Amino acid sequence: MAACQTVNAMVEWITSDGLVDYETAVEQMEARAEAIARGVADEAVWLLEHPPLYTAGTSARPEDLTDPHRFPVHVSRRGGEYTYHGPGQRVAYTMLDLNRRGRDIRAFVRGLEDWIIATLAEFNIRGERREGRVGVWVVRHDRPLTAAGFPPEDKIAAIGVRVRRWVTFHGISINVEPDLGHFAGIVPCGIREHGVTSLVDLGIPASLTDVDVALRRTFDRAIGPAAAVLDDPFEVRR
């Protein structure tokens, strides 16, 4: 699965070099999530890149795939709509046990948003939530105002998760230095009136390694530690 693995507070951090095939990644995520649910593996965060591809989440609409022949399209069982993955984008797959973190999927997704926002803050980028829009957004004060008189907003990070037996997989992606033109083959997350951006597009010359360091540094603060293993894995401490 990985070129580099470290374990910290029972969460294993895995970093893969090179581009990881999407279907291979899904198979390995599902296997790890199942092992976590059975209590025979630690939680894990897997940092990787994919080759250029589009994924269709469970809410994807056919009309939002505007160029179906541009890149391979993978049907995904994660939540959400169409998403692009490719080189220069840091994908972080989170295989975490909500039996030990509170069985609250909404709270978990909010924690992922907090994690992205805290990571961007390490680079002096203000990431924000928007009601009704999945992911994390930045206000473009460097661009002309919209027709409504507001600064435009671009998406910098996406979130899409799946939960099975209260163990999560899939996760987040942060645009570090992808080819933003590759997003043109889809309507990202079904949102037509806004664009996409990246750290480098915002003038931050960050590398994937820089972002990995920030993700590690902010994880516990945003997501929080897991509770101790319980005798009954389906008992949740309040």
Side-chain angles (χ1 to χ4, degrees):
M1 175 184 280
C4 176
Q5 302 186 30
T6 59
V7 179
N8 182 20
M10 305 305 291
V11 175
E12 182 181 11
W13 285 77
I14 306 163
T15 305
S16 289
D17 295 327
L19 303 179
V20 179
D21 174 74
Y22 183 78
E23 297 297 341
T24 299
V26 171
E27 290 176 6
Q28 295 192 27
M29 273 194 292
E30 291 188 344
R32 182 60 174 258
E34 176 62 23
I36 293 168
R38 290 189 289 110
V40 297
D42 289 332
E43 297 179 303
V45 176
W46 186 9
L47 305 176
L48 57 96
E49 288 176 282
H50 286 305
L53 57 91
Y54 299 130
T55 65
T58 55
S59 301
R61 298 174 295 186
E63 63 268 25
D64 288 341
L65 180 60
T66 58
D67 188 354
H69 305 296
R70 186 167 191 174
F71 297 124
V73 180
H74 298 266
V75 176
S76 173
R77 287 174 286 182
R78 61 157 175 81
E81 302 186 48
Y82 279 104
T83 298
Y84 166 77
H85 292 312
Q89 182 189 72
R90 176 49 85 212
V91 175
Y93 288 139
T94 53
M95 290 149 279
L96 302 176
D97 188 357
L98 298 189
N99 290 298
R100 298 170 56 196
R101 295 175 176 274
R103 292 182 179 180
D104 188 331
I105 296 173
R106 287 179 181 270
F108 174 66
V109 171
R110 188 169 183 86
L112 293 178
E113 292 172 341
D114 289 340
W115 187 28
I116 295 168
I117 290 168
T119 297
L120 295 174
E122 296 280 304
F123 302 95
N124 295 315
I125 295 174
R126 181 182 176 87
E128 300 180 15
R129 297 179 176 87
R130 286 294 180 266
E131 188 68 30
R133 291 193 238 146
V134 179
V136 174
W137 301 79
V138 294
V139 178
R140 300 302 303 265
H141 295 288
D142 58 330
R143 299 275 177 85
L145 299 181
T146 66
F150 299 104
E153 297 178 353
D154 288 342
K155 189 171 189 175
I156 194 169
I159 298 172
V161 299
R162 182 168 170 80
V163 179
R164 181 184 297 158
R165 297 176 62 187
W166 291 106
V167 176
T168 71
F169 51 108
H170 295 281
I172 68 171
S173 60
I174 299 176
N175 297 332
V176 182
E177 193 178 7
D179 184 336
L180 296 179
H182 288 179
F183 286 86
I186 58 172
V187 178
C189 298
I191 299 171
R192 296 179 179 274
E193 62 271 27
H194 299 284
V196 291
T197 189
S198 68
L199 274 76
V200 170
D201 183 51
L202 294 172
I204 307 299
S207 67
L208 291 176
T209 300
D210 296 330
V211 172
D212 292 349
V213 170
L215 286 166
R216 290 287 300 270
R217 188 157 45 215
T218 58
F219 179 82
D220 283 340
R221 184 166 76 243
I223 304 296
V229 176
L230 307 176
D231 291 337
D232 178 358
F234 297 102
E235 176 187 354
V236 181
R237 288 182 178 167
R238 301 295 182 186

